[in-house]
Amino acid sequence: MIVDLRSDTVTRPSAGMRRAMAEAELGDDVFGDDPSVNRLQARAAEMLGFEQALLFPSGTQSNLAALMSHCARGDEYLVGQEAHSYRFEAGGGAVLGSIQPQPLANRADGTLELAEVEAAIKPDDPHFARTRLLALENTIGGRVLQRSYLEKALELAKRRNLATHLDGARIFNASVKLGIGAQELCAGFDSVSVCLSKGLGAPAGTLLLANADLIGKARRARKILGGAMRQAGMLAAAGLYALENNVERLAEDHANAERLANGLRESGYEVEGPHTNMVFVRIAPKKIPSLKMQFEKKQILVLPGARLRLVTHLDVDAAGIERALDAFRALTKEA
Ligand SMILES: *Cc1c(COP(=O)(O)O)cnc(C)c1O
């Protein structure tokens, strides 16, 4: 069995999830009559405390549709340098939305300094883009933003008339880690994006949550972006199965990440985390070339780098973590 620690996106649908997909009642979601999609959207809206939800093929598209729904051409959004929607989505907001990002440094705990956020809001003056939106991410690099911080950020946004978007790709990891309902962690945001294809184990799919007005705009953006799907109920059935079966068990992934971090520390590695289901480990540059090849021989998959990110998920168990630790121990022993 391969132990794949590259990402929590690598999970394969379980037998139960595949059965749910095979048996899904289907319609044409572009006409709005796929019952499985409608059921998933209704369930997610209820679970997360929003008026409506909309299914997207990917989190990248959901974030972009949200940006395009909040911001018009020449508007600006405030976002962390490390945020997925700024750094890892090919600049989509600028490319396709004519929206200017204003990136700000993330602190070590993943938060933005709120005084810096406020200072970055541009005055109403034709020299400047119009600052419209504050975008946060939870978890970010596995780190959890606390509810108390979110409340301060939301208060600032409200006071300064900014809309708010939360990239909650892994919001359920934050919720399980804190022991706080996802609904409470999302409360106050104008929109939230939640991935079904990360730790929740669905093959694809992300939900955008917001009020009916914003979801109407996002539906139009989704059409522009080519994301309106037909018998999408096959994916929705996987998503529903994930929401019903794979949320509480995220605690196991966090426990495995802790096992991994402890084992690596005991073997002398410099480790950051665990942050929910992620562990970051320093690898001496001279070891990097051989690392991937050696690990592949032992059927351990990682994305090699000097700051190696290891991600636990529902296709890695405690025995798999032990095997990965053996591989890391062997790496320290060689010259
Ligand atoms: C994975 C991820 C996304 C994008 O999801 P895709 O489905 O890969 O496009 C967005 N935000 C965060 C924080 C993510 O981890």
Side-chain angles (χ1 to χ4, degrees):
M1 259 290 276
I2 290 176
V3 176
D4 192 343
L5 298 169
R6 291 173 301 168
S7 174
D8 48 9
T9 55
V10 300
T11 55
R12 312 291 206 276
S14 63
M17 183 178 280
R18 284 170 195 255
R19 210 172 306 121
M21 294 172 77
E23 290 167 5
E25 242 188 296
L26 302 175
D28 186 328
D29 184 49
V30 177
F31 295 126
D33 61 22
D34 185 305
S36 300
V37 172
N38 292 339
R39 214 173 294 137
L40 170 66
Q41 290 175 165
R43 178 86 183 94
E46 177 204 319
M47 248 176 118
L48 293 158
F50 285 84
E51 236 171 78
Q52 290 189 5
L54 188 65
L55 178 65
F56 286 81
S58 72
T60 300
Q61 195 178 79
S62 168
N63 275 334
L64 178 53
L67 287 179
M68 290 170 73
S69 303
H70 286 293
C71 300
R73 185 165 196 232
D75 288 350
E76 167 183 87
Y77 74 112
L78 307 177
V79 64
Q81 285 280 3
E82 297 172 26
H84 201 282
S85 70
Y86 170 64
R87 195 160 185 171
F88 301 106
E89 297 180 5
V95 175
L96 298 170
S98 299
I99 301 159
Q100 166 169 286
Q102 169 61 72
L104 300 167
N106 290 94
R107 294 186 289 195
D109 65 358
T111 60
L112 303 176
E113 170 67 68
L114 293 179
E116 278 179 32
V117 170
E118 184 147 23
I121 299 171
K122 317 277 189 293
D124 182 6
D125 174 314
H127 288 88
F128 302 123
R130 291 168 300 241
T131 313
R132 265 281 148 40
L133 175 72
L134 172 62
L136 298 178
E137 184 175 316
N138 200 12
T139 62
I140 177 161
R143 292 158 299 186
V144 175
L145 304 188
Q146 304 287 330
R147 181 66 207 170
S148 54
Y149 171 78
L150 298 176
E151 263 157 30
K152 287 190 201 109
L154 288 165
E155 183 279 321
L156 163 63
K158 191 163 187 186
R159 182 160 51 76
R160 298 301 307 268
N161 262 322
L162 300 180
T164 49
H165 174 68
L166 181 67
D167 181 350
R170 295 188 180 83
I171 194 66
F172 287 108
N173 291 87
S175 159
V176 166
K177 182 75 189 178
L178 292 172
I180 297 178
Q183 183 165 147
E184 196 181 329
L185 283 178
C186 294
F189 283 91
D190 295 310
S191 57
V192 177
S193 175
V194 178
C195 284
L196 299 165
S197 56
K198 303 279 166 80
L200 296 184
T206 292
L207 290 157
L208 182 68
L209 297 114
N211 66 23
D213 178 52
L214 201 89
I215 290 295
K217 290 177 180 156
R219 193 185 301 280
R220 176 172 284 274
R222 186 182 70 172
K223 191 71 192 168
I224 292 170
L225 299 172
M229 298 181 283
R230 301 295 178 173
Q231 283 72 52
M234 299 207 71
L235 289 178
L240 257 177
Y241 183 94
L243 289 179
E244 270 153 26
N245 296 281
N246 293 345
V247 172
E248 293 309 319
R249 64 148 308 285
L250 290 170
E252 295 170 35
D253 300 343
H254 301 165
N256 279 331
E258 199 151 334
R259 248 180 220 120
L260 185 58
N262 290 341
L264 287 168
R265 282 201 177 92
E266 279 161 22
S267 310
Y269 282 95
E270 189 186 330
V271 177
E272 193 197 313
H275 301 311
T276 56
N277 66 332
M278 295 183 192
V279 175
F280 298 84
V281 56
R282 291 273 164 205
I283 303 294
K286 65 174 178 158
K287 301 255 190 202
I288 295 173
S290 69
L291 178 134
K292 187 174 177 199
M293 223 173 51
Q294 280 202 41
F295 275 38
E296 261 171 30
K297 255 189 275 167
K298 297 183 168 109
Q299 301 217 13
I300 314 266
L301 297 188
V302 297
L303 289 174
R307 182 176 178 264
L308 192 66
R309 185 186 80 159
L310 305 168
V311 188
T312 59
H313 51 77
L314 88 180
D315 288 351
V316 177
D317 59 12
I321 297 295
E322 273 313 307
R323 265 185 45 215
L325 283 171
D326 283 342
F328 277 102
R329 285 182 201 116
L331 195 69
T332 54
K333 285 198 188 91
E334 69 169 39

